[in-house]
């Protein structure tokens, strides 16, 4: 294979290598676009399913299921961020760097091939000069030979004059001399061409081929490194992605059905007293209606009470038709327990606002003192409007705090009253609500229920003696504990029906929590009562 063919082969191969480099850059660029689009779609998906309301205003955020879902969405959002990081790294390290490197390679390749073409052109020019000198030598030799033959023919011609013969001999000698000079020039040109040709094939072209080989190998090495960057960009984010996946797994394991049920109870606990027995109305007697408050007997005085059809009876709230709710400022439209929680929330918010205004007032006072001591820092009178406004806000918030405290006290009293009413109807009292301890006195609880203006009038107090007597005949209080427990925190049983306990105290478990946050226990030194379930570590027998 001649050098020209090899030169063309190298030209095609190096061009193919640069085209491959450009194709890989284009592939990575499109790959980054895919990653960016994927990350953008993931972020849009997360935004679509994230809760629209703040967590403090969203009751659903209290459920472990919702919390886990939000955590999974956050992990997916972090995962999208890692995909964006992969795209950014590929764009910078591969696309930008290899594009710049490809331009440098193209310039270097162009320079090497220009150098090779110049060498080829120089050799071709030398060969043309050699051919020209060779043809001139050949032509001069023919002319010299022709002139010599003419001179010899005239010399033998007896009719030719001496002058013609001499002229022919001079022409032959001149042509012979010109042929000799052409021969010498051809020999020199041939020697020069052979020297240039040897330099071209043994020095110039091998050097150019070595440069092209080195350039192509460097390009291939850089392309291989570019291939590696594709995997390195992925490996760099693997630890973070693994943490995202682990976070999703933790979120999945954090779903707590029992806790969610308790949260639901706390969120929607009404605080209503449990209803009494359905009244029996005897229509067989020739009287209007003689309902009794208990299907087991008549009132304790033995006299049925006559009531007209228009007399209202106690509303049975689980089956009552819900009317359109009118929202009130004291939340009296809500069930007692929900009212208490909302009032407590409003009270805490007002208290925080009040404390903020108090802090603002103190800061303004200090600033005013500084201005009075250092007038060049500011005019103390300029702070008076802000101080006046702050004092006005403090007075307003104090009144609101007092108002909500009064409403909260009334709501808590209502919850306690309902709790007492429930205790008066059942021999074994149900677990009390978390916000209020149980009342051990059935009679006092019933009396509180009668006096509460929040509840509708009740007729069950007339049948309390008979109902209590029935319970005493057929159901006895447990005399032996069903387990034991340890007090995690100190509790001061100041309300009726509760009992005090010290942190770390061992107690006997007499009755489990019925779902409202209170457990009945017995102390070693005697005395039984209710304590918060969350304050205990319970072990059943």
């Amino acid at each position: 294979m001649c050098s020209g063919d090899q030169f063309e082969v190298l030209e095609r191969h190096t061009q193919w290598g640069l085209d491959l480099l450009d194709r890989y850059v284009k592939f990575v660029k499109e790959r980054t676009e895919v990653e960016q689009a994927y990350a953008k779609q993931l972020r849009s998906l997360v935004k679509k399913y994230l809760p629209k309301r703040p967590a403090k205003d969203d009751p659903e955020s209290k459920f472990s299921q919702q919390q886990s879902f939000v955590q999974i969405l956050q992990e997916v959002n972090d995962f999208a961020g890692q995909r964006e990081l992969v795209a950014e790294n590929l764009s910078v390290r591969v696309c930008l760097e290899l594009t710049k490197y490809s331009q440098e390679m193209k310039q270097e390749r162009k320079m090497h091939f220009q150098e090779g073409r110049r060498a080829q052109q120089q050799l071709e020019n030398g060969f043309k000069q050699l051919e020209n000198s060779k043809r001139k030598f050949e032509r001069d030799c023919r002319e010299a030979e022709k002139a010599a033959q003419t001179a010899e023919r005239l010399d033998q011609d007896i009719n030719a004059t001496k002058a013609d013969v001499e002229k022919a001999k001079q022409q032959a000698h001149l042509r012979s001399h010109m042929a000799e000079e052409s021969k010498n020039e051809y020999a020199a040109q041939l020697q020069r061409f052979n020297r240039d040709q040897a330099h071209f094939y043994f020095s110039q072209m091998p050097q150019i081929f070595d440069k092209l080989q080195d350039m192509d190998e460097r390009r291939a090495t850089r392309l291989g490194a570019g291939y590696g960057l594709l995997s390195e960009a992925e490996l760099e984010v693997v630890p973070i992605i693994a943490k995202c996946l682990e976070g999703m797994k933790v979120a999945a394991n954090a779903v707590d059905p029992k806790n969610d049920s308790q949260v639901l109870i706390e969120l929607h606990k009404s605080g209503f007293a449990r209803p009494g027995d359905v009244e029996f109305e005897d229509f067989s007697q020739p009287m209007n209606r003689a309902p009794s408050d208990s299907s087991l007997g008549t009132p304790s005085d033995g006299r049925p009470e006559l009531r007209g059809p228009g007399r209202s009876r106690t509303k049975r709230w689980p089956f009552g038709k819900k009317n359109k709710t009118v929202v009130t400022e004291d939340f009296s439209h809500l069930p007692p327990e929900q009212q208490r929680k909302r009032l407590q929330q409003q009270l805490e918010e007002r208290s925080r606002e009040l404390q903020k205004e108090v802090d603002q007032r103190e800061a303004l006072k200090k600033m005013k003192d500084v201005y009075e001591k250092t007038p060049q820092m500011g005019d103390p009178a300029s702070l008076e409007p802000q101080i006046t406004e702050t004092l006005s806000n403090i007075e307003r918030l104090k009144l609101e705090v007092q108002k909500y405290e009064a409403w909260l006290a009334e709501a808590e009293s209502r919850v306690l009253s309902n709790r007492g009413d429930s205790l008066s109807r059942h021999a074994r009292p149900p677990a009390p609500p978390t916000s209020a301890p149980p009342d051990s006195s059935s009679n006092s609880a019933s009396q509180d229920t009668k006096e509460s203006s929040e509840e509708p009038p009740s007729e069950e107090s007339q049948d309390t003696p008979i109902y209590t007597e029935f319970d005493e005949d057929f159901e006895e209080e447990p005399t032996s504990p069903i387990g034991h427990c340890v007090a995690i925190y100190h509790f001061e049983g100041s309300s009726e029906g509760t009992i005090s306990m010290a942190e770390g105290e061992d107690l006997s478990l007499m009755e489990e929590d019925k779902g409202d946050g209170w457990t009945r226990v017995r102390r070693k030194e005697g005395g039984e009562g209710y304590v918060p379930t969350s304050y205990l570590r319970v072990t059943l027998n």
Side-chain angles (χ1 to χ4, degrees):
M1 182 183 292
C2 67
S3 62
D5 295 338
Q6 292 175 339
F7 208 61
E8 292 177 359
V9 169
L10 288 178
E11 188 173 15
R12 288 195 302 270
H13 178 74
T14 53
Q15 183 61 46
W16 170 82
L18 291 174
D19 291 342
L20 179 61
L21 180 62
D22 292 339
R23 286 178 61 200
Y24 178 66
V25 170
K26 185 177 180 181
F27 161 74
V28 175
K29 183 178 180 180
E30 293 184 5
R31 165 72 188 280
T32 59
E33 293 174 354
V34 170
E35 290 287 354
Q36 290 170 347
Y38 178 45
K40 183 178 180 180
Q41 291 177 352
L42 283 179
R43 290 193 182 277
S44 298
L45 185 66
V46 170
K47 184 178 180 181
K48 177 180 177 181
Y49 284 95
L50 275 175
K52 300 299 184 291
R53 293 184 293 176
K56 64 177 183 178
D57 299 331
D58 187 6
E60 295 177 354
S61 64
K62 299 181 183 297
F63 294 99
S64 63
Q65 304 163 59
Q66 177 71 0
Q67 294 169 0
S68 295
F69 182 53
V70 171
Q71 184 177 349
I72 288 175
L73 291 176
Q74 292 172 347
E75 297 295 348
V76 172
N77 193 63
D78 293 343
F79 177 81
Q82 296 307 305
R83 303 319 308 173
E84 291 174 341
L85 183 60
V86 169
E88 181 181 356
N89 289 339
L90 290 178
S91 178
V92 173
R93 300 179 187 176
V94 178
C95 295
L96 292 180
E97 294 295 332
L98 287 187
T99 299
K100 180 180 178 181
Y101 184 74
S102 176
Q103 295 298 327
E104 294 174 356
M105 288 290 101
K106 290 177 181 178
Q107 291 296 326
E108 182 178 352
R109 174 179 176 274
K110 181 179 179 181
M111 179 184 67
H112 292 325
F113 278 104
Q114 285 178 346
E115 183 180 356
R117 289 191 180 93
R118 282 196 300 270
Q120 276 186 328
Q121 189 64 40
Q122 290 174 358
L123 186 63
E124 290 176 0
N125 291 337
F127 184 73
K128 288 179 180 179
Q129 291 176 1
L130 176 64
E131 288 295 319
N132 291 333
S133 64
K134 177 182 176 181
R135 283 192 296 270
K136 184 175 182 297
F137 172 55
E138 182 181 5
R139 184 172 62 252
D140 288 345
C141 285
R142 285 197 302 268
E143 292 294 333
E145 184 179 358
K146 184 177 178 181
Q149 291 175 355
T150 301
E152 184 179 355
R153 187 176 64 250
L154 289 176
D155 186 43
Q156 294 176 1
D157 188 357
I158 58 174
N159 297 321
T161 62
K162 186 176 181 180
D164 290 338
V165 172
E166 287 297 326
K167 185 178 179 180
K169 288 183 178 180
Q170 290 179 0
Q171 185 68 22
H173 179 72
L174 178 63
R175 291 293 181 183
S176 176
H177 178 70
M178 291 177 63
E180 188 66 25
E181 287 182 351
S182 296
K183 178 181 178 181
N184 293 334
E185 183 181 355
Y186 170 63
Q189 188 68 32
L190 180 62
Q191 184 179 6
R192 185 163 54 250
F193 174 77
N194 287 335
R195 185 180 67 248
D196 293 343
Q197 181 176 252
H199 177 68
F200 175 79
Y201 283 106
F202 290 96
S203 179
Q204 277 186 307
M205 290 310 297
Q207 289 179 2
I208 294 173
F209 289 163
D210 288 343
K211 292 177 181 179
L212 289 172
Q213 179 181 356
D214 178 68
M215 181 201 74
D216 192 65
E217 289 177 355
R218 284 187 284 112
R219 177 202 57 77
T221 302
R222 188 65 178 270
L223 181 59
Y227 291 162
L229 290 174
L230 199 65
S231 59
E232 289 179 9
E234 292 285 348
L235 291 174
E236 286 179 359
V237 301
V238 164
I240 305 299
I241 291 179
K243 289 183 179 179
C244 294
L245 298 177
E246 184 63 26
M248 295 181 189
K249 184 178 180 181
V250 171
N253 295 333
V255 175
D256 189 348
K258 296 288 186 182
N259 182 71
D260 286 356
S261 297
Q262 191 62 33
V263 169
L264 181 65
I265 292 171
E266 291 297 326
L267 283 175
H268 300 283
K269 187 189 300 181
S270 67
F272 283 128
R274 301 186 185 184
D277 295 339
V278 179
E279 300 173 351
F280 174 77
E281 300 183 44
D282 190 356
F283 294 96
S284 64
Q285 299 297 328
M287 58 183 70
N288 289 336
R289 290 187 182 181
S292 65
D293 289 341
S294 173
S295 60
L296 302 175
T298 58
S300 58
D301 57 2
R303 296 192 304 266
E305 182 181 355
L306 302 182
R307 296 174 183 251
R311 183 71 179 270
S312 62
R313 292 174 294 167
T314 304
K315 180 179 179 181
R316 309 200 59 79
W317 52 269
F319 312 102
K321 182 178 180 181
K322 294 183 178 180
N323 298 323
K324 185 176 181 180
T325 303
V326 178
V327 179
T328 57
E329 187 181 4
D330 62 352
F331 304 106
S332 58
H333 61 284
L334 297 176
E337 184 66 25
Q338 299 300 316
Q339 179 191 17
R340 185 192 65 79
K341 290 182 179 179
R342 292 297 297 274
L343 288 173
Q344 182 68 38
Q345 180 182 358
Q346 292 294 324
L347 179 60
E348 291 174 356
E349 291 180 0
R350 297 302 188 280
S351 298
R352 285 195 295 268
E353 292 178 8
L354 178 60
Q355 185 59 45
K356 183 178 179 180
E357 292 294 334
V358 170
D359 294 342
Q360 178 73 9
R361 181 190 62 185
E362 295 300 325
L364 290 172
K365 284 184 177 180
K366 291 180 180 179
M367 189 179 297
K368 182 179 179 182
D369 292 341
V370 172
Y371 285 179
E372 289 175 348
K373 294 177 181 178
T374 313
Q376 60 268 24
M377 294 186 66
D379 184 11
S382 63
L383 300 176
E384 288 299 331
Q386 299 182 43
I387 296 175
T388 303
E389 182 182 359
T390 303
L391 292 175
S392 176
N393 291 337
I394 290 174
E395 292 301 322
R396 176 179 57 80
L397 290 171
K398 282 183 178 179
L399 292 176
E400 290 188 9
V401 167
Q402 293 174 2
K403 177 174 63 176
Y404 279 105
E405 284 177 345
W407 284 342
L408 179 60
E410 184 179 353
E412 290 179 342
S413 175
R414 181 183 177 189
V415 172
L416 286 172
S417 175
N418 288 335
R419 176 61 191 168
D421 181 69
S422 176
L423 286 173
S424 69
R425 293 176 182 147
H426 299 274
R428 180 175 296 181
T434 306
S435 59
D439 190 343
S440 61
S441 173
S442 300
N443 294 330
S444 62
S446 300
Q447 185 66 24
D448 290 341
T449 306
K450 293 177 185 179
E451 295 175 356
S452 175
S453 60
E454 299 292 336
E455 294 295 322
S458 174
E459 300 171 1
E460 298 192 17
S461 59
Q462 300 174 6
D463 292 324
T464 301
I466 295 177
Y467 195 63
T468 306
E469 182 180 357
F470 176 84
D471 287 338
E472 291 175 352
D473 290 340
F474 290 92
E475 187 173 354
E476 297 181 356
E477 294 290 336
T479 58
S480 59
I482 61 174
H484 68 277
C485 48
V486 178
I488 304 176
Y489 308 105
H490 172 77
F491 175 69
E492 189 67 32
S494 58
S495 302
E496 189 171 1
T498 62
I499 188 171
S500 300
M501 63 179 180
E503 182 179 354
E505 181 178 357
D506 291 327
L507 304 164
S508 298
L509 179 64
M510 305 307 296
E511 184 179 0
E512 292 185 77
D513 185 354
K514 295 298 183 61
D516 53 3
W518 293 90
T519 298
R520 189 156 63 94
V521 299
R522 177 189 295 169
R523 303 184 69 178
K524 289 184 178 180
E525 59 268 22
E528 292 185 15
Y530 285 96
V531 295
T533 305
S534 58
Y535 282 38
L536 299 175
R537 184 168 60 248
V538 177
T539 304
L540 296 175
N541 290 337

